[in-house]
Amino acid sequence: MKRILLIIIIIIGLISSGVNAQSPELINYQTIVRDASGNVLENQDISFLISITQESESGIVVYSEKHFVKTNQFGLINLQIGSGEVESGSLPSVNWGSNSHFLKVEMDPSGGSSFTLMGTVQLLSVPYALHAKTVENDNVNDADADASNELQTISISGTVLTLSKGGGSVTLPSSGNGGDNWGTQTVVTDATISGEGTTANPLSVNGDLTDDQTLSILGNELSITEGNSVTLPATGDNWGVQFAYTNPTLAGDGLLSDPLKIARQEATTGQVLGWDGTTWKPKDDATSDADNDASNELQTISISGTVLTLSNNGGSVTLPTSGSGGDNWGTQTVIADATLTGEGTSADPLSVNGDL
């Protein structure tokens, strides 16, 4: 079997958990894997055993873990120490500030667990940023036991800005006669606005804020206030003096001074309009009675007994009767049996016989 030798180029960029408790406690590890001839082992499954030793390269292993990764087309792999399969110890528990520490790398190019030592390097300054996490539990001694006496407050009076506890004061810039001073700020405006923009003297707009306009018309001149005027067409339908176009059957302009009406159309006295199937035309009244008396055609109706008469020689008719004096018009009587008495007339009303 051909022996495979691996050359490890170790590029260690380390990140640590800072003072923020949510920062990951990881160390970045990057390497390019080559065989003994310097050829890159690309797209190959490889396993690593990463250990951290204390005091020396062969010192006590304080933490170790396994990684199973695959190289890319350049033979490159990237690991985050602290995220592998833990073999022993705890990375957060490593006391970085008490001793020197070393990174020991072992590898199996077949991706199994037959690891071969590839090298050990000392971890220098960058990894020890992990030690900064212990500050979270330290009591920083500021020479007193007061946890709040370092707090300061800021205040302003006019244009003077002051920091408490001897923090000093500064005078803020002013734009002139009292303008833009913090706490007494006023606003510079033109003639369209009045006031200073303060509680005592708020800003307000000068003049009328309404945009009301009114339309008016005179003859065919249409105008709008605060605006302009236009002249409407003078070919009829002028607003204010509007008239209507009609055909010969109507006359007038449709105005109060000249309302629309049916045109005479050469009609003479006594004629009426008649429809000839196409249009309305004047014609003689077919109901003419050959005189100028408007009432001599009126008639009246009257009755005497059973005789009904129409005046002006309209004739008479005798109404039917139902027997001896019964149902005669004007002298009407009622035929009744023994339960009723009377004839049903004003002179002899009907009444019920017997005890009710």
Side-chain angles (χ1 to χ4, degrees), residues 279-292:
T279 185
W280 291 99
K281 292 182 178 180
K283 68 176 185 176
D284 293 335
D285 186 358
T287 61
S288 175
D289 59 359
D291 60 35
N292 293 321

Side-chain angles (χ1 to χ4, degrees), residues 5-9 31-38 107 118:
L5 296 179
L6 301 176
I7 299 175
I8 305 295
I9 301 175
T31 185
I32 296 175
V33 183
R34 300 176 184 270
D35 61 17
S37 300
M107 186 183 72
M118 304 309 299

Side-chain angles (χ1 to χ4, degrees), residues 10 32 54 106 151 155 188 252 305 333 352:
I10 302 175
I32 296 175
Q54 185 174 292
E106 299 173 79
L151 301 179
S155 61
V188 178
T333 61
V352 179

Side-chain angles (χ1 to χ4, degrees), residues 12-77:
I12 304 178
L14 302 177
I15 62 171
S16 67
S17 65
V19 295
N20 189 333
Q22 295 184 353
S23 298
E25 295 184 343
L26 304 173
I27 302 174
N28 281 335
Y29 175 81
Q30 185 180 83
T31 185
I32 296 175
V33 183
R34 300 176 184 270
D35 61 17
S37 300
N39 298 316
V40 170
L41 297 181
E42 57 185 52
N43 301 317
Q44 183 167 325
D45 292 322
I46 297 176
S47 56
F48 287 87
L49 177 62
I50 306 295
S51 302
I52 296 176
T53 64
Q54 185 174 292
E55 295 186 346
S56 67
E57 295 182 4
S58 58
I60 299 172
V61 175
V62 293
Y63 178 73
S64 65
E65 66 182 18
K66 289 180 182 178
H67 287 268
F68 299 91
V69 295
K70 186 173 185 177
T71 62
N72 64 12
Q73 68 270 31
F74 305 110
L76 181 69
I77 61 99

Side-chain angles (χ1 to χ4, degrees), residues 80-222:
Q80 287 186 328
I81 299 171
S83 65
E85 182 181 306
V86 177
E87 288 287 298
S88 64
S90 170
L91 187 60
S93 299
V94 175
N95 188 356
W96 300 100
S98 62
N99 295 286
S100 57
H101 291 80
F102 296 80
L103 182 65
K104 179 180 178 181
V105 180
E106 299 173 79
M107 186 183 72
D108 182 349
S110 64
S113 298
S114 300
F115 296 106
T116 301
L117 177 63
M118 304 309 299
T120 304
V121 295
Q122 184 177 2
L123 297 175
L124 300 177
S125 59
V126 176
Y128 290 95
L130 291 171
H131 179 59
K133 186 176 185 299
T134 61
V135 174
E136 294 175 348
N137 302 316
D138 289 345
N139 292 321
V140 179
N141 185 0
D142 61 353
D144 60 39
D146 191 336
S148 64
N149 64 353
E150 290 79 20
L151 301 179
Q152 294 172 280
T153 58
I154 193 169
S155 61
I156 190 169
S157 175
T159 59
V160 179
L161 185 67
T162 303
L163 193 62
S164 67
K165 298 182 180 178
S169 299
V170 293
T171 301
L172 299 176
S174 172
S175 62
N177 187 16
D180 297 322
N181 290 333
W182 295 94
T184 58
Q185 183 176 13
T186 61
V187 179
V188 178
T189 64
D190 63 16
T192 62
I193 297 177
S194 61
E196 295 180 338
T198 61
T199 303
N201 190 14
L203 291 176
S204 63
V205 178
N206 292 326
D208 186 3
L209 296 181
T210 63
D211 293 326
D212 297 339
Q213 293 177 280
T214 304
L215 275 175
S216 61
I217 190 167
L218 180 61
N220 60 351
E221 192 77 12
L222 183 65

Side-chain angles (χ1 to χ4, degrees), residues 3 11 132 154 167 175 186 197 199 247 316 324 341 348:
R3 184 179 174 211
I11 306 171
I154 193 169
S175 62
T186 61
T199 303
N247 66 16
S316 298
S324 177
T341 60
D348 189 13

